């Protein structure tokens, strides 16, 4: 085709575009398909509800066929859901311009080109231009409806397992209960740890207080050691008590350090050891002071120390006997004996020791609880 022919063809097409009615389904100004075929294509397009696609049939198309289609689209004031298809019967060319609604529904230029190559060109090359046009129009409408190329099968969506609402109730309750139990146990452990720590701290403070209570007895011993004639056995007992007292002070410091470093078990073990040794030390200090008083008065120191050791041994055996009593059938007796043993402990640890008073108290206690002591196979003597 010569350049002059192309210009004339462009003028003819432009005049046709200006004179064409709005929303024409098929426009064959040169009668290339024939009136009957034009009518058949028009009816076929209406049957597939494609009235807003305007098809223009020409012998050949210019290079800027897309611009020509856009010009016709604007001249006919087509809406965003309409489009123009320019068809060249001899060159099997085709050009399109579709409204924005097509692109919004997935009919992109790439999809349009694939549809042309797949459904239009094979039929057009066979000479079935009308069938090719109807096939292309139908695929464009289907692609707009599906939002994709009709030949591309989308992946199947994952199956949705829809269960009734009550099915989720048991696991939800189980999870909530599990969380409550977990946080409840955590809170309980925290409270137990705080209570345990408080108990250890209280015991440590009580040990410090008990050691401070021994200071007056120690001061009295220092005053009584100087005058008079020395007594080897009494001096040895006093030195042993001094070493025990120093060791308990060191034990108190070690317990505090263990508590600071989180060694609760070690602190509790050391406190138990201190509790076991504290009362015998207090009784020993009281007996030693009584021994120094006897030395200064010229009395028999050895006999007095022997009697003081015997009172402590009798108190310890009474405590062991009480521990064997049944906590249900002998509960009242256990309580009464425990109160008397506490009173005896105060007598034995009060410096200087009243040996005679302690012996009288022990005799009365053994007389009151004699049968119960015999039932356990123990006595204080």
């Amino acid at each position: 085709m010569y350049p002059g022919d192309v210009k004339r063809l462009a003028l003819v097409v432009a005049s046709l575009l200006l004179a064409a009615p709005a929303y024409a389904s098929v426009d064959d100004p040169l009668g290339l398909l024939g009136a009957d075929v034009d009518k058949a294509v028009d009816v076929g397009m209406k049957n597939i509800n494609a009235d807003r696609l305007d098809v223009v049939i020409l012998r050949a198309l210019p290079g800027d066929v897309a611009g020509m289609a856009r010009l016709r689209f604007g001249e006919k004031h087509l809406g965003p859901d309409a489009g123009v298809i320019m068809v060249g019967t001899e060159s099997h060319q085709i050009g399109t311009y579709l409204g924005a609604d097509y692109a919004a529904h997935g009919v992109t230029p790439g999809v349009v080109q694939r549809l042309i190559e797949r459904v239009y060109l094979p039929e057009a090359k066979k000479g079935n231009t009308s069938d090719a046009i109807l096939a292309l129009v139908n695929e464009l409408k289907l692609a707009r409806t599906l939002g994709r190329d009709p030949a591309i099968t989308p992946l199947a969506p994952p199956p949705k397992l829809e269960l009734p609402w009550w099915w989720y109730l048991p696991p939800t309750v189980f999870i909530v209960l599990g969380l409550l139990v977990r946080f409840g146990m955590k809170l309980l452990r925290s409270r137990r740890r705080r209570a345990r720590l408080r108990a250890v701290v209280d015991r440590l403070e009580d040990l410090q207080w008990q050691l401070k209570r021994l200071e007056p007895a120690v001061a009295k011993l220092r005053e009584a050691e100087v005058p008079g004639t020395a007594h080897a056995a009494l001096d040895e007992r006093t030195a042993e008590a001094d070493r025990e007292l120093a060791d308990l002070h060191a034990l108190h410091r070690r317990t505090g350090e263990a508590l600071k470093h989180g060694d609760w078990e070690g602190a509790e073990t050391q406190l138990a050891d201190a509790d076991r040794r504290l009362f015998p030390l207090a009784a020993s200090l009281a007996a030693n002071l009584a021994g120094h008083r006897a030395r200064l008065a010229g009395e028999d120191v050895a006999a007095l120390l022997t009697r003081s050791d015997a009172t402590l041994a009798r108190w310890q055996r009474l405590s062991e006997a009480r521990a064997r009593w049944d906590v249900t059938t002998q509960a009242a007796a256990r309580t009464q004996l425990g109160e008397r043993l506490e009173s005896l402990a105060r007598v034995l640890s009060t410096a200087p020791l009243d040996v005679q008073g302690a012996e009288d108290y022990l005799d009365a206690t053994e007389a009151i609880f004699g049968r119960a002591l015999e039932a356990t196979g123990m006595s204080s003597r």
Side-chain angles (χ1 to χ4, degrees), residues 13 16-17 20 24-29 53-59 61 68-69 72 76 84-89 93-95 133:
V13 171
L16 291 174
L17 293 174
S25 297
V26 178
D27 188 3
D28 187 5
L53 285 175
D54 187 19
V55 180
V56 181
I57 309 296
L58 298 174
R59 191 182 304 277
L61 300 177
M68 183 184 294
R72 184 178 178 91
K76 298 190 72 173
V84 175
I85 301 175
M86 310 293 293
V87 179
T89 58
Q93 289 177 296
I94 194 165
I133 292 172

